[in-house]
Amino acid sequence: MRTWVAIIAVLIVLLLLNACAVMDINSMETAVPLKQGKVELSVYNGHCLDISSAVVIDESSNSSFASHDINKDAYTSLLSGVKANIGILPKLEFSGRAYYSGLGNGITLLGYSNTKTTKGYKAGLKFLCKSNKFLYLSLLPSVNIVNGKSHDRSYQQPDIYGSYDSYGLELQVLGSFAPIKQITFSGVCKFNRDYYSEVYNGVSYGTYAINHMGIRANLKLLLWVPFIIVDFGNEFVPVINGNNSTLTSVAIGGGLRI
């Protein structure tokens, strides 16, 4: 047990070394609820939606700078996270996670640097709606909170600071097939509504209501106490004032069931 705890601790450190505001679009969930009193702790790494790319902001009349957002398509970034699931009742489970995304290239010889960091949180309750032998159907409503910051420094140009905030709701519809305890195949449909705002170069923008949805699949392997899970799928993002974008994302994680 101590060996596995040490491995998880090392993974947390390594994952947080990865390189705006990003939204975790990975499910990493199954429809099979944990038994009452059981706990799963895990770390994961994967793609995410850069939530600022879901809005194209035109040049503001009260700013001397043109819009920083010239890309009409949504795009992904990378994140690392820690996750906890707790069995509360026979058909009820708590699911929570915290994640981080960061990117920085330091100060170059020309005096240019660019740094971006995001912290995000998600918490919800999973309800088992129906089960029949090896099949399970669950609903997982959650709340999301995201906060990001950026700092751009260019040669002979004033520093530009940005702050990015988002809060919203998510609903996951989970279906799982678990032929044996150690293997679970899951399919997921998810729906999000997020309220996004930002302050860029001293100018406030928003609040924008962003709707996006996705379909995902994952495979979970339980090796007695440790487990691994691989999650992949597509996210459909109608960019405000931009293009409809379809993003492919993959995540992998591992943890302990205690």
Side-chain angles (χ1 to χ4, degrees):
M1 175 66 74
R2 291 182 180 178
T3 301
W4 282 105
V5 171
I7 291 173
I8 295 301
V10 171
L11 285 174
I12 291 174
V13 174
L14 291 176
L15 291 178
L16 291 180
L17 293 177
N18 270 330
C20 51
V22 303
M23 172 70 64
D24 190 349
I25 56 176
N26 306 293
S27 174
M28 309 297 283
E29 298 279 355
T30 76
V32 184
L34 290 174
K35 292 182 179 180
Q36 188 173 352
K38 283 288 185 179
V39 177
E40 284 188 351
L41 301 175
S42 61
V43 297
Y44 65 99
N45 194 17
H47 294 95
C48 55
L49 167 66
D50 188 318
I51 194 71
S52 63
S53 73
V55 179
V56 175
I57 301 174
D58 296 327
E59 183 177 357
S60 176
S61 60
N62 61 342
S63 173
S64 59
F65 287 80
S67 169
H68 59 288
D69 192 353
I70 59 175
N71 192 339
K72 299 291 184 179
D73 299 298
Y75 51 85
T76 61
S77 184
L78 294 174
L79 62 73
S80 301
V82 293
K83 187 169 174 290
N85 292 69
I86 303 172
I88 302 175
L89 296 172
K91 295 184 178 182
L92 181 65
E93 176 185 310
F94 168 80
S95 174
R97 68 183 71 183
Y99 55 92
Y100 171 85
S101 178
L103 176 66
N105 61 7
I107 299 176
T108 67
L109 293 177
L110 297 178
Y112 173 79
S113 69
N114 175 271
T115 59
K116 300 177 182 180
T117 60
T118 294
K119 294 179 180 178
Y121 309 91
K122 182 186 295 187
L125 292 173
K126 183 190 299 181
F127 302 88
L128 177 63
C129 300
K130 189 175 182 180
S131 62
N132 182 10
K133 200 173 182 180
F134 305 133
L135 300 176
Y136 299 82
L137 177 66
S138 294
L139 296 177
L140 174 53
S142 304
V143 294
N144 293 308
I145 299 174
V146 174
N147 175 257
K149 296 183 182 298
S150 67
H151 177 204
D152 295 286
R153 178 183 298 171
S154 300
Y155 181 65
Q156 293 184 341
Q157 180 178 329
D159 289 5
I160 298 177
Y161 293 89
S163 63
Y164 313 87
D165 296 282
S166 176
Y167 63 91
L169 301 174
E170 177 182 276
L171 175 63
Q172 294 189 54
V173 181
L174 302 149
S176 292
F177 172 62
I180 58 176
K181 179 182 178 181
Q182 290 76 20
I183 301 176
T184 305
F185 301 93
S186 299
V188 183
C189 293
K190 57 182 291 294
F191 308 89
N192 289 76
R193 184 173 178 88
D194 298 298
Y195 296 92
Y196 173 79
S197 60
E198 69 174 77
V199 178
Y200 186 79
N201 195 35
V203 180
S204 297
Y205 301 92
T207 302
Y208 302 93
I210 301 172
N211 297 305
H212 54 101
M213 62 197 72
I215 55 172
R216 309 197 64 80
N218 62 60
L219 170 63
K220 184 176 183 180
L221 301 176
L222 176 63
L223 309 173
W224 188 49
V225 171
F227 67 88
I228 60 174
I229 183 169
V230 179
D231 187 279
F232 60 95
N234 290 326
E235 192 80 2
F236 176 69
V237 185
V239 178
I240 297 176
N241 299 324
N243 301 324
N244 293 335
S245 302
T246 301
L247 307 175
T248 299
S249 60
V250 179
I252 184 169
L256 301 174
R257 176 178 294 185
I258 53 179

